[in-house]
DNA sequence: AATGAATGAGAATTCATTCAT
DNA sequence: TATGAATGAATTCTCATTCAT
């Protein structure tokens, strides 16, 4: 039964999103997943091992929900861009609290700590930017597409950072509107 | 002579920039500042007390170097925008390593941990955005100025985040170029 | 098996009796109970937590040995008084060293430090005095019983204090004789 | 000028009475006496040195106010006993807070810690009991005088202990009344 | 598979005392 | 005389990991 393992990963994913990797203590995880130490070390060899599984799970989810379902769908490019912006805003809206972007958070916290984390997070950002570049080629032409894909992702990540710090969703909404106004 | 206290603050500022607040252990600080435990607690009442001093020092530096010297100077608005972008890129260029934005890092790490840190960091972002809004009023008109000021700050912060994760300065350069292309 | 926890409590009880709460360092406890730091914090959340357990254990023992077994037995009142005095003297005699009264010591050390300790110690003194009051009602009549119960407890506590300071059991013996002479 | 030294001793005496010797930190003393570290170590070689001076000052005061002025005066014996009891009650009444007996506190805290403290405190209790014995010889006859002097001192010390723990002066008043009723 | 007791290195902090000026 | 900067051993507590059952 893998579902126990996945249960632990999901419980930890929330904790890490809310508090960060270092601040999420093993005891928090055991409590949240309602398991004992022995069970934890049966499924995972270390806290880091679990951390990596959490990132993998996040990566998989985003690849499906953002990259595949939105950016690589066969809708018109402007629709894709629109959907991506809606998805970003509604993701944070639905959580109800402003913990920031799971990837952005980990990117800043783990980048220089741990090469494995950095590489995995990197790969997702890379894919996101590349897929967005493809979308933008239709809208702004091929030459500027990469630069502007980077700019849009940066704008969203920075907007989520500001949203978290101000504890105010409206900043992210403004950012989304601003992007929309520029490209659509 | 206050310089000993300032010496400790500066040494710690670098450590926190590079590793984050939590990961910067007291022992790291003592080593970096070349002082003993007792001396540390002679100057600061706790690690947090020092952390706040570090943020205060960063705030002061940025208010002088960014807000006052650039955004509130009496040069033309487009020059101010240009200078700000140059300053941002050259700041990270000069450090030689990609630790990210001192404020952005702390914003993400401390936002939900500690209200005092969040408030101080908030105040700086607020000032930055307001000052930039004033600059943009000349360029894009008053109506959109605030939204676009937010967008620019977000873009820079997000760009620095990507830069840190990719360990590649060119992303930040691209972002700066992109902003320049849009407004100048 | 709770006996490990009780083992730690008992070992600590002796230390606290001999040296006081503050002077009993964690390292003393670990050595006396022959356990490691981690094990200690597995059973107790803090030194204070253990301290409270120690007081609770003392309270329980005294309630059984002094209050229930002696003062609330169904023997004649003068026998009860006699037994209490015997018990007090032989308690200190059997230990062989003059560390004072576990409750009196803590009462003086912790009274103004910590409200929880004070309250618990208070409760025991209160019960002791009330039970003794009941015994005395038969001997001196109801009117003076409370005052004289207080006087007897005070005399014993003060006698133990002097005994400790003079490192001489005979003072406590004298006090017991003096009480006996007055009431029996 | 010795008055500075005496000023430090008096300020510390209050602190030790209220908090005990160990809990009175050097920093508390410096603050209370409004002096710097250098000045402290000019007048005293260590904290213990000061502690001994404090005990010496207490001993001197009690020898004057209790032993000489009351117990060795040329008034009738029953007056002396009465005055001693009044003095004891009014001493704690005048302070307004219930910190216990300065000697009783130190007796319990320091007895087994430090032989010098114990000896000095011992000497005072010894003198007190001897002087009271002389007074009692007139009242109860020579045979029982020593035992009853011990009993009275014990009763007062125990009463003050209970008073401190219950934070209630009336217990000490009861004890005084009880002693008066027995001898006067 | 599972429990939770046990480990121990390392964390922040306290504090009497010494030393340079 | 006096200041307060500097020292460092000792203190309580944290926490990921291992081990016996």
């Amino acid at each position: 039964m893998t579902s126990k393992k996945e249960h632990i990963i999901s419980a930890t994913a929330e904790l890490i999103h809310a508090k960060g990797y270092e601040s999420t203590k093993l005891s928090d995880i055991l409590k949240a997943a309602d398991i004992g130490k022995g069970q934890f070390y049966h499924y995972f060899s270390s806290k880091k091992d679990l951390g990596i599984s959490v990132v993998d799970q996040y990566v998989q989810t985003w690849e499906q929900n953002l990259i595949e379902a939105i950016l690589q769908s066969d809708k018109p490019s402007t629709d894709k861009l629109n959907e991506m912006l809606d998805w970003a805003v509604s993701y944070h809206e639905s959580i109800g609290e402003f913990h920031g972007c799971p990837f952005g958070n980990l990117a800043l916290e783990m980048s220089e700590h741990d090469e494995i984390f950095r590489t995995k997070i990197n790969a997702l950002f890379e894919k996101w930017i590349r897929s967005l570049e493809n979308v933008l080629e239709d809208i702004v032409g091929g030459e500027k597409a990469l630069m502007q894909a980077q700019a849009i992702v940066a704008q969203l990540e920075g907007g989520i950072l500001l949203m978290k710090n101000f504890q105010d969703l409206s900043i992210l909404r403004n950012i989304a509107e601003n992007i929309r106004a520029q490209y659509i």
mmCIF file of all heavy atoms in Angstrom, chain F residues 1-15:
data_model
loop_
_atom_site.group_PDB
_atom_site.id
_atom_site.type_symbol
_atom_site.label_atom_id
_atom_site.label_comp_id
_atom_site.label_asym_id
_atom_site.label_seq_id
_atom_site.Cartn_x
_atom_site.Cartn_y
_atom_site.Cartn_z
ATOM 1 P P DT F 1 39.441 55.366 47.441
ATOM 2 O OP1 DT F 1 40.860 55.497 47.439
ATOM 3 O OP2 DT F 1 38.610 56.488 47.583
ATOM 4 O "O5'" DT F 1 39.075 54.426 46.223
ATOM 5 C "C5'" DT F 1 39.807 54.539 44.949
ATOM 6 C "C4'" DT F 1 38.993 55.416 44.031
ATOM 7 O "O4'" DT F 1 39.726 55.627 42.810
ATOM 8 C "C3'" DT F 1 37.678 54.762 43.617
ATOM 9 O "O3'" DT F 1 36.740 55.778 43.318
ATOM 10 C "C2'" DT F 1 38.087 53.995 42.374
ATOM 11 C "C1'" DT F 1 39.103 54.947 41.749
ATOM 12 N N1 DT F 1 40.200 54.266 40.991
ATOM 13 C C2 DT F 1 40.364 54.591 39.684
ATOM 14 O O2 DT F 1 39.670 55.407 39.106
ATOM 15 N N3 DT F 1 41.385 53.911 39.068
ATOM 16 C C4 DT F 1 42.244 52.973 39.622
ATOM 17 O O4 DT F 1 43.118 52.432 38.967
ATOM 18 C C5 DT F 1 42.005 52.688 41.013
ATOM 19 C C7 DT F 1 42.873 51.705 41.737
ATOM 20 C C6 DT F 1 41.005 53.329 41.635
ATOM 21 P P DA F 2 35.239 55.429 43.124
ATOM 22 O OP1 DA F 2 34.398 56.640 43.261
ATOM 23 O OP2 DA F 2 34.982 54.252 43.971
ATOM 24 O "O5'" DA F 2 35.231 55.003 41.600
ATOM 25 C "C5'" DA F 2 35.323 56.040 40.607
ATOM 26 C "C4'" DA F 2 35.277 55.428 39.233
ATOM 27 O "O4'" DA F 2 36.500 54.710 38.976
ATOM 28 C "C3'" DA F 2 34.170 54.404 39.007
ATOM 29 O "O3'" DA F 2 33.242 55.026 38.136
ATOM 30 C "C2'" DA F 2 34.865 53.191 38.386
ATOM 31 C "C1'" DA F 2 36.218 53.759 37.983
ATOM 32 N N9 DA F 2 37.341 52.830 37.999
ATOM 33 C C8 DA F 2 37.792 52.083 39.053
ATOM 34 N N7 DA F 2 38.854 51.357 38.779
ATOM 35 C C5 DA F 2 39.110 51.649 37.450
ATOM 36 C C6 DA F 2 40.107 51.197 36.560
ATOM 37 N N6 DA F 2 41.060 50.336 36.905
ATOM 38 N N1 DA F 2 40.078 51.692 35.299
ATOM 39 C C2 DA F 2 39.118 52.566 34.962
ATOM 40 N N3 DA F 2 38.138 53.055 35.704
ATOM 41 C C4 DA F 2 38.197 52.557 36.954
ATOM 42 P P DT F 3 31.895 54.284 37.704
ATOM 43 O OP1 DT F 3 30.873 55.328 37.528
ATOM 44 O OP2 DT F 3 31.662 53.155 38.614
ATOM 45 O "O5'" DT F 3 32.259 53.724 36.262
ATOM 46 C "C5'" DT F 3 32.810 54.638 35.291
ATOM 47 C "C4'" DT F 3 33.192 53.874 34.046
ATOM 48 O "O4'" DT F 3 34.424 53.165 34.277
ATOM 49 C "C3'" DT F 3 32.177 52.811 33.619
ATOM 50 O "O3'" DT F 3 31.583 53.224 32.411
ATOM 51 C "C2'" DT F 3 32.996 51.522 33.461
ATOM 52 C "C1'" DT F 3 34.437 52.023 33.464
ATOM 53 N N1 DT F 3 35.428 51.090 34.081
ATOM 54 C C2 DT F 3 36.502 50.650 33.347
ATOM 55 O O2 DT F 3 36.681 50.960 32.187
ATOM 56 N N3 DT F 3 37.358 49.813 34.026
ATOM 57 C C4 DT F 3 37.247 49.388 35.329
ATOM 58 O O4 DT F 3 38.072 48.653 35.831
ATOM 59 C C5 DT F 3 36.096 49.892 36.045
ATOM 60 C C7 DT F 3 35.874 49.488 37.472
ATOM 61 C C6 DT F 3 35.251 50.700 35.395
ATOM 62 P P DG F 4 30.140 52.673 32.022
ATOM 63 O OP1 DG F 4 29.432 53.734 31.270
ATOM 64 O OP2 DG F 4 29.518 52.058 33.204
ATOM 65 O "O5'" DG F 4 30.541 51.524 31.012
ATOM 66 C "C5'" DG F 4 31.505 51.761 29.981
ATOM 67 C "C4'" DG F 4 32.044 50.417 29.501
ATOM 68 O "O4'" DG F 4 32.970 49.909 30.480
ATOM 69 C "C3'" DG F 4 30.979 49.325 29.350
ATOM 70 O "O3'" DG F 4 31.399 48.390 28.347
ATOM 71 C "C2'" DG F 4 31.077 48.618 30.683
ATOM 72 C "C1'" DG F 4 32.588 48.588 30.759
ATOM 73 N N9 DG F 4 33.145 48.132 32.025
ATOM 74 C C8 DG F 4 32.562 48.111 33.265
ATOM 75 N N7 DG F 4 33.336 47.609 34.187
ATOM 76 C C5 DG F 4 34.499 47.272 33.506
ATOM 77 C C6 DG F 4 35.688 46.674 33.972
ATOM 78 O O6 DG F 4 35.980 46.330 35.111
ATOM 79 N N1 DG F 4 36.624 46.509 32.947
ATOM 80 C C2 DG F 4 36.410 46.868 31.631
ATOM 81 N N2 DG F 4 37.397 46.629 30.778
ATOM 82 N N3 DG F 4 35.293 47.425 31.192
ATOM 83 C C4 DG F 4 34.391 47.594 32.178
ATOM 84 P P DA F 5 30.897 48.574 26.841
ATOM 85 O OP1 DA F 5 30.915 49.987 26.454
ATOM 86 O OP2 DA F 5 29.651 47.786 26.776
ATOM 87 O "O5'" DA F 5 32.021 47.800 26.022
ATOM 88 C "C5'" DA F 5 33.275 48.416 25.784
ATOM 89 C "C4'" DA F 5 34.381 47.373 25.763
ATOM 90 O "O4'" DA F 5 34.638 46.905 27.110
ATOM 91 C "C3'" DA F 5 34.067 46.133 24.927
ATOM 92 O "O3'" DA F 5 35.273 45.755 24.267
ATOM 93 C "C2'" DA F 5 33.664 45.099 25.975
ATOM 94 C "C1'" DA F 5 34.546 45.491 27.159
ATOM 95 N N9 DA F 5 34.002 45.179 28.483
ATOM 96 C C8 DA F 5 32.796 45.558 28.989
ATOM 97 N N7 DA F 5 32.597 45.155 30.229
ATOM 98 C C5 DA F 5 33.752 44.465 30.551
ATOM 99 C C6 DA F 5 34.166 43.794 31.708
ATOM 100 N N6 DA F 5 33.432 43.715 32.815
ATOM 101 N N1 DA F 5 35.387 43.203 31.699
ATOM 102 C C2 DA F 5 36.131 43.292 30.592
ATOM 103 N N3 DA F 5 35.855 43.900 29.442
ATOM 104 C C4 DA F 5 34.630 44.469 29.482
ATOM 105 P P DA F 6 35.245 44.486 23.305
ATOM 106 O OP1 DA F 6 36.322 44.710 22.319
ATOM 107 O OP2 DA F 6 33.845 44.264 22.857
ATOM 108 O "O5'" DA F 6 35.669 43.283 24.242
ATOM 109 C "C5'" DA F 6 37.023 43.240 24.696
ATOM 110 C "C4'" DA F 6 37.242 41.945 25.457
ATOM 111 O "O4'" DA F 6 36.520 42.009 26.705
ATOM 112 C "C3'" DA F 6 36.770 40.673 24.748
ATOM 113 O "O3'" DA F 6 37.877 39.798 24.643
ATOM 114 C "C2'" DA F 6 35.673 40.108 25.650
ATOM 115 C "C1'" DA F 6 36.015 40.727 27.000
ATOM 116 N N9 DA F 6 34.853 40.941 27.866
ATOM 117 C C8 DA F 6 33.683 41.588 27.557
ATOM 118 N N7 DA F 6 32.829 41.638 28.547
ATOM 119 C C5 DA F 6 33.479 40.974 29.581
ATOM 120 C C6 DA F 6 33.102 40.686 30.905
ATOM 121 N N6 DA F 6 31.920 41.038 31.435
ATOM 122 N N1 DA F 6 33.978 40.022 31.682
ATOM 123 C C2 DA F 6 35.156 39.663 31.144
ATOM 124 N N3 DA F 6 35.626 39.875 29.913
ATOM 125 C C4 DA F 6 34.725 40.544 29.184
ATOM 126 P P DT F 7 37.722 38.390 23.986
ATOM 127 O OP1 DT F 7 39.013 38.122 23.363
ATOM 128 O OP2 DT F 7 36.471 38.358 23.202
ATOM 129 O "O5'" DT F 7 37.567 37.404 25.215
ATOM 130 C "C5'" DT F 7 38.468 37.537 26.326
ATOM 131 C "C4'" DT F 7 38.115 36.519 27.388
ATOM 132 O "O4'" DT F 7 37.002 36.996 28.179
ATOM 133 C "C3'" DT F 7 37.674 35.149 26.843
ATOM 134 O "O3'" DT F 7 38.578 34.181 27.330
ATOM 135 C "C2'" DT F 7 36.265 34.940 27.384
ATOM 136 C "C1'" DT F 7 36.221 35.900 28.564
ATOM 137 N N1 DT F 7 34.877 36.460 28.894
ATOM 138 C C2 DT F 7 34.393 36.341 30.178
ATOM 139 O O2 DT F 7 34.995 35.764 31.063
ATOM 140 N N3 DT F 7 33.170 36.917 30.384
ATOM 141 C C4 DT F 7 32.403 37.599 29.456
ATOM 142 O O4 DT F 7 31.322 38.078 29.752
ATOM 143 C C5 DT F 7 32.968 37.684 28.128
ATOM 144 C C7 DT F 7 32.216 38.395 27.053
ATOM 145 C C6 DT F 7 34.160 37.117 27.912
ATOM 146 P P DG F 8 38.850 32.866 26.528
ATOM 147 O OP1 DG F 8 40.248 32.498 26.777
ATOM 148 O OP2 DG F 8 38.336 32.999 25.149
ATOM 149 O "O5'" DG F 8 37.924 31.843 27.296
ATOM 150 C "C5'" DG F 8 37.991 31.735 28.712
ATOM 151 C "C4'" DG F 8 36.812 30.929 29.203
ATOM 152 O "O4'" DG F 8 35.660 31.799 29.317
ATOM 153 C "C3'" DG F 8 36.364 29.808 28.241
ATOM 154 O "O3'" DG F 8 35.864 28.729 29.027
ATOM 155 C "C2'" DG F 8 35.202 30.436 27.485
ATOM 156 C "C1'" DG F 8 34.578 31.208 28.632
ATOM 157 N N9 DG F 8 33.654 32.240 28.226
ATOM 158 C C8 DG F 8 33.496 32.821 26.989
ATOM 159 N N7 DG F 8 32.548 33.713 26.958
ATOM 160 C C5 DG F 8 32.065 33.733 28.247
ATOM 161 C C6 DG F 8 31.027 34.500 28.818
ATOM 162 O O6 DG F 8 30.323 35.352 28.280
ATOM 163 N N1 DG F 8 30.846 34.208 30.174
ATOM 164 C C2 DG F 8 31.574 33.271 30.877
ATOM 165 N N2 DG F 8 31.271 33.111 32.156
ATOM 166 N N3 DG F 8 32.542 32.556 30.346
ATOM 167 C C4 DG F 8 32.730 32.832 29.037
ATOM 168 P P DA F 9 36.602 27.362 28.885
ATOM 169 O OP1 DA F 9 38.060 27.571 28.926
ATOM 170 O OP2 DA F 9 35.963 26.668 27.747
ATOM 171 O "O5'" DA F 9 36.168 26.648 30.237
ATOM 172 C "C5'" DA F 9 36.247 27.352 31.479
ATOM 173 C "C4'" DA F 9 34.935 27.246 32.240
ATOM 174 O "O4'" DA F 9 33.980 28.209 31.712
ATOM 175 C "C3'" DA F 9 34.248 25.875 32.130
ATOM 176 O "O3'" DA F 9 33.677 25.575 33.398
ATOM 177 C "C2'" DA F 9 33.165 26.108 31.095
ATOM 178 C "C1'" DA F 9 32.768 27.557 31.385
ATOM 179 N N9 DA F 9 32.188 28.264 30.255
ATOM 180 C C8 DA F 9 32.571 28.187 28.936
ATOM 181 N N7 DA F 9 31.862 28.959 28.141
ATOM 182 C C5 DA F 9 30.961 29.585 28.991
ATOM 183 C C6 DA F 9 29.943 30.523 28.761
ATOM 184 N N6 DA F 9 29.653 31.021 27.564
ATOM 185 N N1 DA F 9 29.232 30.934 29.830
ATOM 186 C C2 DA F 9 29.521 30.440 31.042
ATOM 187 N N3 DA F 9 30.460 29.559 31.376
ATOM 188 C C4 DA F 9 31.151 29.166 30.298
ATOM 189 P P DA F 10 33.091 24.158 33.676
ATOM 190 O OP1 DA F 10 33.643 23.751 34.972
ATOM 191 O OP2 DA F 10 33.221 23.292 32.475
ATOM 192 O "O5'" DA F 10 31.542 24.469 33.863
ATOM 193 C "C5'" DA F 10 31.164 25.602 34.632
ATOM 194 C "C4'" DA F 10 29.688 25.870 34.408
ATOM 195 O "O4'" DA F 10 29.514 26.591 33.172
ATOM 196 C "C3'" DA F 10 28.821 24.608 34.291
ATOM 197 O "O3'" DA F 10 27.659 24.824 35.058
ATOM 198 C "C2'" DA F 10 28.484 24.551 32.811
ATOM 199 C "C1'" DA F 10 28.427 26.045 32.475
ATOM 200 N N9 DA F 10 28.599 26.333 31.060
ATOM 201 C C8 DA F 10 29.499 25.780 30.193
ATOM 202 N N7 DA F 10 29.402 26.247 28.966
ATOM 203 C C5 DA F 10 28.371 27.159 29.037
ATOM 204 C C6 DA F 10 27.780 27.986 28.071
ATOM 205 N N6 DA F 10 28.163 28.031 26.799
ATOM 206 N N1 DA F 10 26.758 28.783 28.482
ATOM 207 C C2 DA F 10 26.378 28.731 29.767
ATOM 208 N N3 DA F 10 26.857 28.002 30.757
ATOM 209 C C4 DA F 10 27.863 27.229 30.317
ATOM 210 P P DT F 11 26.770 23.673 35.448
ATOM 211 O OP1 DT F 11 26.602 23.749 36.896
ATOM 212 O OP2 DT F 11 27.222 22.436 34.795
ATOM 213 O "O5'" DT F 11 25.389 24.098 34.774
ATOM 214 C "C5'" DT F 11 24.796 25.351 35.135
ATOM 215 C "C4'" DT F 11 23.712 25.710 34.148
ATOM 216 O "O4'" DT F 11 24.327 26.134 32.916
ATOM 217 C "C3'" DT F 11 22.831 24.529 33.730
ATOM 218 O "O3'" DT F 11 21.579 24.576 34.370
ATOM 219 C "C2'" DT F 11 22.635 24.689 32.235
ATOM 220 C "C1'" DT F 11 23.412 25.927 31.872
ATOM 221 N N1 DT F 11 24.181 25.683 30.620
ATOM 222 C C2 DT F 11 23.848 26.405 29.498
ATOM 223 O O2 DT F 11 22.966 27.233 29.493
ATOM 224 N N3 DT F 11 24.584 26.101 28.375
ATOM 225 C C4 DT F 11 25.587 25.162 28.268
ATOM 226 O O4 DT F 11 26.171 24.978 27.219
ATOM 227 C C5 DT F 11 25.879 24.434 29.481
ATOM 228 C C7 DT F 11 26.953 23.389 29.480
ATOM 229 C C6 DT F 11 25.181 24.729 30.581
ATOM 230 P P DT F 12 20.716 23.311 34.328
ATOM 231 O OP1 DT F 12 20.062 23.245 35.644
ATOM 232 O OP2 DT F 12 21.485 22.174 33.807
ATOM 233 O "O5'" DT F 12 19.623 23.687 33.229
ATOM 234 C "C5'" DT F 12 18.986 24.962 33.265
ATOM 235 C "C4'" DT F 12 18.305 25.211 31.934
ATOM 236 O "O4'" DT F 12 19.297 25.262 30.889
ATOM 237 C "C3'" DT F 12 17.330 24.099 31.516
ATOM 238 O "O3'" DT F 12 16.145 24.730 31.033
ATOM 239 C "C2'" DT F 12 18.048 23.345 30.418
ATOM 240 C "C1'" DT F 12 18.909 24.445 29.805
ATOM 241 N N1 DT F 12 20.138 23.963 29.133
ATOM 242 C C2 DT F 12 20.440 24.421 27.860
ATOM 243 O O2 DT F 12 19.741 25.207 27.257
ATOM 244 N N3 DT F 12 21.604 23.918 27.320
ATOM 245 C C4 DT F 12 22.473 23.024 27.921
ATOM 246 O O4 DT F 12 23.481 22.659 27.331
ATOM 247 C C5 DT F 12 22.099 22.588 29.254
ATOM 248 C C7 DT F 12 22.977 21.617 29.986
ATOM 249 C C6 DT F 12 20.974 23.067 29.780
ATOM 250 P P DC F 13 14.866 23.861 30.664
ATOM 251 O OP1 DC F 13 13.705 24.743 30.829
ATOM 252 O OP2 DC F 13 14.941 22.567 31.355
ATOM 253 O "O5'" DC F 13 15.047 23.588 29.100
ATOM 254 C "C5'" DC F 13 15.136 24.721 28.219
ATOM 255 C "C4'" DC F 13 15.543 24.234 26.840
ATOM 256 O "O4'" DC F 13 16.851 23.659 26.886
ATOM 257 C "C3'" DC F 13 14.652 23.143 26.215
ATOM 258 O "O3'" DC F 13 14.045 23.728 25.072
ATOM 259 C "C2'" DC F 13 15.602 22.015 25.860
ATOM 260 C "C1'" DC F 13 16.946 22.741 25.822
ATOM 261 N N1 DC F 13 18.151 21.913 26.062
ATOM 262 C C2 DC F 13 19.092 21.774 25.035
ATOM 263 O O2 DC F 13 18.871 22.316 23.951
ATOM 264 N N3 DC F 13 20.206 21.037 25.260
ATOM 265 C C4 DC F 13 20.408 20.466 26.453
ATOM 266 N N4 DC F 13 21.522 19.761 26.611
ATOM 267 C C5 DC F 13 19.465 20.599 27.507
ATOM 268 C C6 DC F 13 18.358 21.318 27.281
ATOM 269 P P DT F 14 13.076 22.865 24.175
ATOM 270 O OP1 DT F 14 12.059 23.805 23.706
ATOM 271 O OP2 DT F 14 12.730 21.616 24.857
ATOM 272 O "O5'" DT F 14 13.976 22.470 22.913
ATOM 273 C "C5'" DT F 14 14.665 23.486 22.230
ATOM 274 C "C4'" DT F 14 15.254 22.907 20.967
ATOM 275 O "O4'" DT F 14 16.390 22.086 21.282
ATOM 276 C "C3'" DT F 14 14.298 22.021 20.170
ATOM 277 O "O3'" DT F 14 14.480 22.411 18.814
ATOM 278 C "C2'" DT F 14 14.795 20.600 20.445
ATOM 279 C "C1'" DT F 14 16.291 20.849 20.611
ATOM 280 N N1 DT F 14 17.063 19.912 21.466
ATOM 281 C C2 DT F 14 18.250 19.424 20.993
ATOM 282 O O2 DT F 14 18.687 19.697 19.886
ATOM 283 N N3 DT F 14 18.920 18.593 21.861
ATOM 284 C C4 DT F 14 18.528 18.232 23.137
ATOM 285 O O4 DT F 14 19.215 17.489 23.804
ATOM 286 C C5 DT F 14 17.273 18.780 23.561
ATOM 287 C C7 DT F 14 16.759 18.440 24.920
ATOM 288 C C6 DT F 14 16.609 19.582 22.731
ATOM 289 P P DC F 15 13.409 22.033 17.718
ATOM 290 O OP1 DC F 15 13.435 23.146 16.766
ATOM 291 O OP2 DC F 15 12.163 21.631 18.377
ATOM 292 O "O5'" DC F 15 14.034 20.765 17.018
ATOM 293 C "C5'" DC F 15 15.401 20.841 16.597
ATOM 294 C "C4'" DC F 15 15.890 19.476 16.227
ATOM 295 O "O4'" DC F 15 16.450 18.831 17.382
ATOM 296 C "C3'" DC F 15 14.800 18.529 15.706
ATOM 297 O "O3'" DC F 15 15.188 18.080 14.438
ATOM 298 C "C2'" DC F 15 14.767 17.392 16.717
ATOM 299 C "C1'" DC F 15 16.160 17.461 17.312
ATOM 300 N N1 DC F 15 16.251 16.943 18.704
ATOM 301 C C2 DC F 15 17.411 16.291 19.118
ATOM 302 O O2 DC F 15 18.345 16.165 18.319
ATOM 303 N N3 DC F 15 17.485 15.809 20.372
ATOM 304 C C4 DC F 15 16.453 15.969 21.202
ATOM 305 N N4 DC F 15 16.553 15.495 22.434
ATOM 306 C C5 DC F 15 15.249 16.638 20.796
ATOM 307 C C6 DC F 15 15.194 17.106 19.547
#
